[in-house]
Amino acid sequence: MNSTEEYALVICDISGYTRFVTSQEVRNHGFVVVGQLLKAVLSSVAPALLLAKVEGDAVFLYRPLPADPARQAAVLREVVVACDRAFHHFAERRRELVEANICGCGACRSAGELELKAILSCGEVLEQRIGKHRELVGLEVIRLHRLLKNSVEATSYLLVTENTAARLADLALPDPTLVLEEHGDLGDCPARVYSPPLGLAAVPTPRSYKTVGFKARDILTKIFVGRLFQVRLVPPRPPRPDV
């Protein structure tokens, strides 16, 4: 059965991914590093956001919105706080990987250059079920993915569509930059861009990963998973669909 309702939709995307993994030198460890960073993002947004799909260097997340306006506002606040947590935990996991690194490959040396960006939008979505599989489809899903290609020059930010940002008036957010994204057949999309941190989520307690034990575990993980990629037991993540 297919059903249409309003959802909050989020894509968390790693900036610099293509350059990071295209070099032959960095290919296997690059996927391992990106996988570790995406795991940090996923653990930080739960349970406020649910995973719809992993799309290469990004995770597509969602949250059904209740019909009651008061409850809907509360859910949207939870979603924005979860996005703020994602920025914090991404940065902390990235720091851990850099601090613990004992590998000289290009991916491990340049892991500190990766950044996180997030896109948030609300709208009506069709939940399509085919057998055991479920997929979110509709114009709002297409718009969300197109917003990943935008005019924002920064590499780390939260972009919120204007119709969604208008529902967050009671949330203390930093001053945004206003942008207008042109999407042809979908029409223009005004949005607000916020620079993290947003000041909403608790900052994780920094930990030191300079110990020999963690460094050994980190490099063994890279060797093991990298070898699985080489022998095709673990396929590389498929690219994000072109919408």
Side-chain angles (χ1 to χ4, degrees):
M1 179 181 294
N2 300 335
S3 60
T4 302
E5 60 181 298
E6 192 170 29
Y7 281 68
L9 303 174
V10 175
I11 286 187
C12 291
D13 174 79
I14 296 181
S15 301
Y17 172 82
T18 302
R19 182 179 65 255
F20 184 70
V21 299
T22 49
S23 166
Q24 183 67 35
E25 179 191 9
V26 307
R27 190 158 295 161
N28 293 325
H29 283 185
F31 288 122
V32 178
V33 170
V34 167
Q36 292 291 310
L37 292 172
L38 289 180
K39 283 176 62 177
V41 170
L42 285 174
S43 64
S44 68
V45 299
L49 285 162
L50 305 171
L51 176 64
K53 189 183 298 184
V54 177
E55 300 178 343
D57 58 332
V59 285
F60 177 26
L61 309 160
Y62 70 97
R63 176 75 177 270
L65 294 176
D68 177 64
R71 179 58 186 150
Q72 185 177 108
V75 169
L76 280 175
R77 286 194 293 270
E78 292 176 15
V79 168
V80 176
V81 172
C83 291
D84 195 24
R85 281 201 308 273
F87 286 109
H88 286 299
H89 284 260
F90 177 91
E92 177 64 8
R93 186 68 182 112
R94 181 185 58 194
R95 184 190 66 80
E96 292 170 1
L97 290 169
V98 170
E99 189 173 304
N101 182 50
I102 58 174
C103 176
C105 80
C108 297
R109 291 198 313 268
S110 58
E113 300 174 10
L114 296 174
E115 298 283 358
L116 184 69
K117 60 185 179 184
I119 314 294
L120 167 61
S121 180
C122 294
E124 289 190 351
V125 173
L126 176 66
E127 184 178 308
Q128 181 174 316
R129 294 180 181 271
I130 304 175
K132 296 182 180 179
H133 302 283
R134 179 180 65 186
E135 186 172 6
L136 301 181
V137 297
L139 291 178
E140 203 61 37
V141 175
I142 296 173
R143 187 192 313 279
L144 185 80
H145 284 80
R146 287 194 182 179
L147 282 169
L148 283 170
K149 298 178 180 180
N150 55 57
S151 61
V152 181
E153 295 183 359
T155 55
S156 181
Y157 55 85
L158 171 65
L159 185 150
V160 184
T161 57
E162 182 61 37
N163 68 322
T164 304
R167 307 189 200 185
L168 303 172
D170 61 338
L171 199 58
L173 290 167
D175 293 336
T177 299
L178 304 181
V179 296
L180 180 64
E181 302 301 329
E182 299 178 358
H183 290 143
D185 52 337
L186 290 181
D188 295 345
C189 181
R192 304 180 192 181
V193 180
Y194 301 92
S195 298
L198 306 179
L200 304 174
V203 180
T205 303
R207 297 172 291 182
S208 176
Y209 281 78
K210 294 180 179 179
T211 63
V212 174
F214 181 83
K215 288 185 177 182
R217 185 181 66 178
D218 181 61
I219 194 62
L220 287 173
T221 299
K222 292 175 183 175
I223 292 171
F224 177 70
V225 179
R227 182 63 64 182
L228 292 180
F229 278 124
Q230 281 186 328
V231 299
R232 302 293 180 180
L233 290 179
V234 176
R237 293 183 185 85
R240 188 170 46 247
D242 186 5
V243 293

